[in-house]
Amino acid sequence: MQSDSNALFARGTRLRRVATGLTATALGLICAGAQASPAAQTSGYDANAGLSSSAPSSATHTLAPAAPHGVRGLAVRLVSQTLATTPRNAADAPHPPKPPAVVDPVLDPLMRGILERLAISEAVARTKYSSGKPVQDTPREQALLDSMGDRAAQYGLTPAQARTFFRLQIEAGKLVQTALLARWKREGGAPGEPVDLATRLRPALDRLGASLMHDLGRLCALPDGPLRMARIHQARERIAKAAKLEALQRAAFDEATSGLCLSAPPRIWTLSVRR
């Protein structure tokens, strides 16, 4: 009984050695088969570059007719399967993520600055709702327009261009404030906490004004014509879509961007409020 077990053990050991040898031979042929086999040499495959432009449309069909039998045939078939699963052109490769939308280096900063000013106008409305101050502040508006007109030349603008631009910013801001105050009056309260107008909001508006003048000067330095108008329209639509503006915000944004580089506003919004 013991001799039978020893014989079976010895036979199993020999079989494992043979299997190991065959496996090593197959792996060696996979690595060297491209040089030893004429079919592999004519397949047009490069380990670093993939299939060359002169390779046949199916690597499996190229290698199969010349593939020998036995272990070497197994190695060639394995190479063929590898080639068959390799992407052969750009259409087979995974698609890269879509590039981000094209950003206009001149218009986008200006459009975003205008949106930022409108956002501050919402904070101003919240403060005025709490304090009871009116939307209209004629002395403040006139002081802003005079200041921007005096500084216009520093940014390559005419005084009329600067005044028109900020007149429209003021009107757009008042459009937002008037509509929000009416809404909050109907609802009986405003969301959020008020922010001090004199110490925080107006200084923020003043700092933003210089940035807007700089960006507007860059835009107005471009040649006037259909191309500039097209860029303005494209940037306006792209920024508005990205910001997901509500109806009130979009109306104010359109108003604020309607007179870029003009010497007189094209129109003035009027808003009637139901009492």
Side-chain angles (χ1 to χ4, degrees):
M1 192 68 160
Q2 182 67 29
S3 61
D4 292 339
S5 298
N6 292 338
L8 289 173
F9 179 80
R11 181 178 301 175
T13 301
R14 287 194 298 272
L15 289 174
R16 283 193 295 273
R17 288 175 179 173
V18 171
T20 302
L22 290 174
T23 302
T25 302
L27 292 175
L29 287 172
I30 291 173
C31 298
Q35 296 180 355
S37 171
Q41 292 177 358
T42 59
S43 66
Y45 177 76
D46 183 282
N48 296 321
L51 288 177
S52 68
S53 59
S54 61
S57 61
S58 174
T60 304
H61 293 163
T62 302
L63 290 170
H69 298 288
V71 176
R72 190 172 182 184
L74 171 63
V76 174
R77 287 195 296 274
L78 290 174
V79 174
S80 299
Q81 293 172 5
T82 301
L83 296 179
T85 57
T86 301
R88 290 186 290 273
N89 50 54
D92 297 329
H95 294 290
K98 292 183 179 180
V102 177
V103 175
D104 191 316
V106 176
L107 266 300
D108 284 22
L110 178 61
M111 296 291 177
R112 292 194 178 101
I114 291 172
L115 279 182
E116 184 179 350
R117 197 179 196 283
L118 291 174
I120 296 176
S121 294
E122 294 186 17
V124 171
R126 190 176 296 109
T127 299
K128 288 186 176 181
Y129 180 84
S130 176
S131 65
K133 290 184 178 180
V135 170
Q136 185 72 27
D137 189 348
T138 302
R140 165 74 180 177
E141 295 174 11
Q142 190 59 50
L144 175 62
L145 295 176
D146 291 342
S147 173
M148 294 307 175
D150 293 340
R151 298 161 57 190
Q154 302 175 24
Y155 302 95
L157 299 167
T158 66
Q161 287 175 330
R163 289 194 183 97
T164 295
F165 175 78
F166 279 96
R167 167 56 64 189
L168 291 172
Q169 306 315 302
I170 291 171
E171 295 301 325
K174 290 195 295 186
L175 172 65
V176 171
Q177 293 176 38
T178 303
L180 289 179
L181 289 173
R183 178 192 303 174
W184 295 336
K185 185 177 181 179
R186 291 193 304 269
E187 295 174 353
E193 296 294 328
V195 180
D196 188 75
L197 185 62
T199 62
R200 296 185 59 186
L201 295 180
R202 283 179 177 168
L205 288 171
D206 291 339
R207 288 192 297 270
L208 184 58
S211 176
L212 288 171
M213 287 276 277
H214 172 267
D215 294 333
L216 181 64
R218 295 177 63 202
L219 171 62
C220 298
L222 299 176
D224 189 10
L227 180 58
R228 189 173 75 180
M229 292 301 298
R231 288 179 64 175
I232 291 173
H233 174 74
Q234 292 168 2
R236 178 192 293 123
E237 296 304 311
R238 181 173 63 253
I239 297 299
K241 182 178 180 180
K244 299 179 180 179
L245 301 180
E246 298 177 355
L248 172 60
Q249 297 169 329
R250 181 59 199 261
F253 183 60
D254 287 348
E255 173 69 4
T257 58
S258 63
L260 303 179
C261 300
L262 297 183
S263 297
R267 65 184 186 275
I268 296 294
W269 279 91
T270 57
L271 186 67
S272 59
V273 181
R274 293 181 180 179
R275 299 292 182 181

